[in-house]
Amino acid sequence: MTRSLTILGATGSIGRSTADVVLAHPDAFRVEAVVGGRDALALAEVARRLGASFAALADERGGEALRQALSGTGIESGAGQAAVLEAAEREADIVLAAISGTAGLAPTHGALKSAKRIALANKESLVCAGDAFMADARRLNVEITPVDSEHNALEHALAAGLNRDVEKAVITASGGPFRTWSREQIAKASAKEASAHPVWSMGSKINIDSATLMNKGLELIEAHHLFGLGAERLDVLVHPEAIVHGLVQWTDGAVTAGLALPDMKVPIANALQGEGRLGMELPRLDLAAIGRLSFERPDEGRFPCLSLAKAALRAGGAMPTVLNAANEIAVEAYMAEAIGFYDISEIVERVCSTFSGRRISTLATVAEALALDQEVRATARRLIPAPVEAAQVR
Ligand code: NAD
Ligand code: MG
């Protein structure tokens, strides 16, 4: 059976891996639409490779280049936020949501209108507006299947038992590039060093989040929304080999774990397939060749973002929205070399405490979450030192 598929974030790391999975199964999928951010030529290329019906670029300025690059192919195109929403809302069996950051929320939410299933990579959607997003998904009867490797593993481990018998669900972290660095070394780390992930090859924002361990914190919040588990039943374990992705400990002490080689094509194929497995000719896990797997507790002293995210999860309500927005601004500033590594957690902490003093009602809709997101961004931006003006440098 051929299913129609739309890929949001088709030019990114997850998007490209998704294209590889789709091309390995040309009869299983028909690509309806592809969405990209700024790179018109890269989007045109993936649209051609996949034979998409429609391509939408977020950056309006690239619209003409996209149209020209697709001329003669019969592939329709559009540019700007309206075109992105149009692509997301087109009739499709599956929408794979892999835009990075909170920019992915509006299109992913829009996709709930006409998709049967969302294969979700864009964790920020759930961190920013999890309660409202999941409520809308339930109301519209849209299934959400996780692409994030830890959640994909947890989904299968959880299926081995009953939710009430889960004592603890654990997601693993490779530990990122600074796992063995001292606090003093980390404090001086450049964005380039933070981007050198030891295991995964990913987009720039999630790379920095992996170095701070904020990614794992966002994933705890993501797991809470996907699986209905409270903070007290969620935990993180550092596992540098990144073979075991998620573990469920049951009330009798038994543990069910999900393992795979660290290749995003594995969870992507599974999330696209939904039920059952989509066969993939990928290298197989050879535990004897690996020999040893190691585990350690995360060090929240060197990686304070993880404890900030845990606190936001425990606080609930609008706090994860605040944490997520502050983090995006701080990560952008760090990548632009405007702040140092530990300023990321410093800024997130200051913004969270500013907003925790205010009574913010629960966010009943995605629109309310996005409005708060904007307000938090403005507050966070005020904490970023202004770039040194050329005139002052002299
Ligand atoms: P990436 O930066 O490589 O790709 C992001 C994609 O989104 C690109 O196609 C980009 O053009 C597009 N995009 C950016 N801004 C946009 C906008 N405003 N409108 C429309 N499109 C826009 O990122 P990635 O590593 O592929 O990650 C994507 C998402 O998947 C993130 O939420 C990330 O946390 C999640 N994720 C990634 C991995 C991984 O291994 N890369 C693993 C798990 C989860
Ligand atoms: Mg992950």
Side-chain angles (χ1 to χ4, degrees):
M1 187 186 60
T2 305
R3 286 166 299 172
S4 54
L5 167 70
T6 285
I7 307 173
L8 310 178
T11 57
S13 160
I14 293 288
R16 287 192 306 270
S17 293
T18 303
D20 290 343
V21 172
V22 168
L23 291 170
H25 290 275
D27 300 329
F29 304 100
R30 180 186 63 74
V31 176
E32 176 60 32
V34 287
V35 167
R38 267 188 290 209
D39 189 340
L41 297 184
L43 182 64
E45 194 196 321
V46 71
R48 279 170 183 261
R49 274 181 75 207
L50 295 173
S53 303
F54 183 58
L57 192 71
D59 186 353
E60 227 152 3
R61 293 165 300 182
E64 185 49 31
L66 178 65
R67 206 181 54 77
Q68 277 179 18
L70 289 174
S71 78
T73 62
I75 302 172
E76 285 177 74
S77 70
Q81 191 59 19
V84 169
L85 278 177
E86 185 198 328
E89 292 173 10
R90 280 184 168 219
E91 204 75 45
D93 293 315
I94 310 160
V95 173
L96 184 124
I99 291 173
S100 71
T102 310
L105 175 55
T108 305
H109 185 242
L112 289 177
K113 286 184 192 159
S114 46
K116 293 196 182 67
R117 187 148 51 78
I118 292 186
L120 186 76
N122 178 228
K123 64 196 84 182
E124 293 90 345
S125 285
L126 288 186
V127 180
C128 177
D131 289 329
F133 185 95
M134 291 306 285
D136 287 344
R138 277 189 291 272
R139 184 171 52 79
L140 296 163
N141 206 14
V142 181
E143 193 190 341
I144 311 290
T145 49
V147 167
D148 218 341
S149 49
E150 299 77 5
H151 305 74
N152 193 268
L154 273 189
E155 183 177 66
H156 295 289
L158 286 165
L162 304 174
N163 186 295
R164 62 157 198 256
D165 296 333
V166 175
E167 202 160 70
K168 215 197 262 182
V170 181
I171 54 176
T172 63
S174 70
F178 303 147
R179 183 176 62 86
T180 59
W181 290 31
S182 70
R183 198 183 156 97
E184 294 67 37
Q185 288 173 307
I186 299 173
K188 293 190 212 115
S190 68
K192 190 161 172 259
E193 289 168 312
S195 301
H197 199 278
V199 181
W200 302 98
S201 143
M202 309 180 288
S204 51
K205 196 252 172 186
I206 184 173
N207 256 335
I208 306 297
D209 284 344
S210 298
T212 62
L213 291 200
M214 181 60 96
N215 182 50
K216 228 29 69 176
L218 300 179
E219 289 184 355
L220 286 174
I221 300 169
E222 179 186 15
H224 160 70
H225 290 294
L226 287 171
F227 308 123
L229 297 168
E232 73 293 346
R233 290 204 287 172
L234 290 167
D235 212 349
V236 172
L237 195 57
V238 172
H239 168 44
E241 295 85 1
I243 299 295
V244 180
H245 302 286
L247 310 99
V248 175
Q249 181 180 304
W250 306 100
T251 46
D252 60 358
V255 175
T256 307
L259 287 72
L261 284 172
D263 181 339
M264 287 308 294
K265 289 197 272 298
V266 176
I268 289 169
N270 182 251
L272 290 180
Q273 181 69 356
E275 226 166 280
R277 296 277 170 180
L278 188 66
M280 290 294 294
E281 283 176 25
L282 295 169
R284 297 305 188 227
L285 175 61
D286 181 346
L287 284 173
I290 293 170
R292 247 167 237 280
L293 298 178
S294 55
F295 300 90
E296 60 199 47
R297 272 178 239 297
D299 179 352
E300 292 178 23
R302 283 181 304 138
F303 302 104
C305 281
L306 179 58
S307 65
L308 293 171
K310 284 184 175 176
L313 172 61
R314 281 193 304 271
M319 228 41 219
T321 313
V322 174
L323 172 99
N324 177 63
N327 180 57
E328 275 192 32
I329 296 301
V331 168
E332 262 172 44
Y334 177 65
M335 290 196 290
E337 296 177 0
I339 60 171
F341 187 84
Y342 283 118
D343 293 327
I344 300 176
S345 47
E346 188 73 34
I347 287 167
V348 172
E349 185 168 14
R350 282 175 65 186
V351 174
C352 285
S353 70
T354 303
F355 279 83
S356 71
R358 285 179 26 183
R359 273 184 64 86
I360 309 167
S361 56
T362 357
L363 304 167
T365 65
V366 166
E368 280 173 35
L370 281 171
L372 176 63
D373 173 85
Q374 288 302 318
E375 197 188 333
V376 176
R377 280 165 196 266
T379 303
R381 277 197 195 97
R382 287 195 284 277
L383 300 178
I384 310 286
V388 183
E389 298 288 338
Q392 287 175 290
V393 177
R394 240 191 292 255

